[in-house]
Amino acid sequence: MNDIRHDDDLSALLSTPVDADALARLHHRLEQEAEQAGLVDVAYTTIDSPVGTLLLAATPEGLVRVAFAREDHDRVLETLSQKISSRILRSPKRLDVAAREIDEYFTRRRQVFDVRLDLSLSHGFRRLVQTHLPEIAYGQTRSYRDMAELVGNPKAVRAVGTACATNPLPIVVPCHRVLRTDGTPGGYVGGLEAKTLLLDLEAAA
Amino acid sequence: MKEPFENVVARHGATVLRVCRVLLGPHDADDAWSETFLSALRAYPDLPETANVEAWLVTIAHRKAIDVLRVAKRNPLPVGEVPETPAGGDLPGSADADLWAAVKALPAKQRQAIAYRYVAGLPYAEIAQILGGTVEAARRAAADGLKNLRKNHPGAITRGASS
């Protein structure tokens, strides 16, 4: 270790700081080449929205995850690494369509999402419920009980609640349109404030 | 648990670029960096979780730099090999340009040993594995490289020599 300390000056010289532009340029090139080689199993980006910074992630199949900041984006990416693949790259291009549609939604120029989805993060009953959520039209709401009946399992009210709470694609798959039977909002993965904002946005249209 | 590859790029991207610059000079370093991370992305899911990620990346960069040099030798460019002002513009000053010229003039093995020791900070045991020799040989290559740099580039390296 001694020799390293003695040669700090040389070390410093050879390790001249790499400027951020150079790295950004190289990262961009990596995104393009990796995408061309089919090596990006999960591409992601973050966008600003009225409900805070959103993480968008997509597999080659389609949009696989939308996450609120309060879910901790680093942790969400780690989970994606475990459940889908560690070949995860910040590569905004694949998210262009989803980002544009979400922007249009928040500026009231879009009521229905038609970006391709990858539902592979959900299974069984949860996935069944999530598949039916887009049937609730823009500006409308249903109760957890309504949803349980809709999927043919009227007793599974609590399970419907769990399915909504674990929706991997909030906003795009509109779990925010499901309320308690008494009309109060109930829980939301993005927090109560976000749910209210989305409901108000749609009600005002 | 295997972390997202993006974290690997974020954490080691700068170091690998510095290593590539010492190996190849600033001009060809970009190509080696790109090849290294593309290759690493391909192999990443199979990398054991206990692996030293930086040593792994440097090992890939070592091979990619050799490839780049081989291609350059086969298709020599009419342009001078050492650009006067390095691409990227973040290596300013003529003293630095002198240093890069001195680094470039080193025998390959010394240049590699210096990059892996003084830029990547790898232990000699790892460096020996990358260079394919003994630990003692790796240590000697780094020491000889240092001696040569001091001889050919005395201006910038005085403090270390006098202490």
Side-chain angles (χ1 to χ4, degrees), chain A residues 1-115:
Chain A
M1 282 300 143
N2 260 343
D3 49 352
I4 278 200
R5 202 171 321 123
H6 279 273
D7 295 312
D8 269 352
D9 50 350
L10 176 66
S11 204
L13 259 177
L14 291 174
S15 302
T16 37
V18 169
D19 72 303
D21 282 356
L23 279 174
R25 194 166 23 85
L26 285 168
H27 195 289
H28 189 66
R29 177 173 163 187
L30 178 63
E31 291 162 35
Q32 289 175 323
E33 291 177 350
E35 187 73 59
Q36 265 169 23
L39 290 175
V40 187
D41 295 338
V42 180
Y44 75 91
T45 192
T46 50
I47 59 169
D48 290 327
S49 85
V51 289
T53 305
L54 297 172
L55 173 82
L56 311 181
T59 66
E61 298 300 309
L63 187 66
V64 73
R65 189 76 166 87
V66 174
F68 291 94
R70 75 201 290 264
E71 296 178 81
D72 186 346
H73 290 166
D74 285 341
R75 190 179 269 170
V76 171
L77 289 168
E78 276 168 22
T79 307
L80 292 175
S81 179
Q82 267 180 309
K83 291 196 171 167
I84 298 177
S85 164
S86 56
R87 284 188 187 132
I88 298 184
L89 211 55
R90 181 184 276 275
S91 188
K93 198 162 185 298
R94 195 188 284 174
L95 288 312
D96 277 355
V97 174
R100 196 184 62 233
E101 291 195 4
I102 289 173
D103 181 58
E104 288 167 354
Y105 169 80
F106 278 113
T107 49
R108 295 213 189 92
R109 288 175 291 146
R110 170 174 294 274
Q111 303 199 341
V112 177
F113 289 96
D114 40 36
V115 60

Side-chain angles (χ1 to χ4, degrees), chain A residues 16 24 44 51 56 64 97 116 121 127 136-137 142 186 197-198 204:
Chain A
T16 37
Y44 75 91
V51 289
L56 311 181
V64 73
V97 174
R116 254 187 327 148
L121 288 173
R127 180 157 172 174
I136 314 174
R142 292 282 181 277
L197 188 145
L198 297 176

Side-chain angles (χ1 to χ4, degrees), chain A residues 122-148:
Chain A
S122 312
H123 305 279
F125 185 72
R126 292 179 187 182
R127 180 157 172 174
L128 178 72
V129 173
Q130 289 158 10
T131 310
H132 280 86
L133 285 170
E135 292 167 20
I136 314 174
Y138 184 90
Q140 303 205 343
T141 59
R142 292 282 181 277
S143 69
Y144 293 105
R145 190 177 304 279
D146 292 338
M147 282 312 290

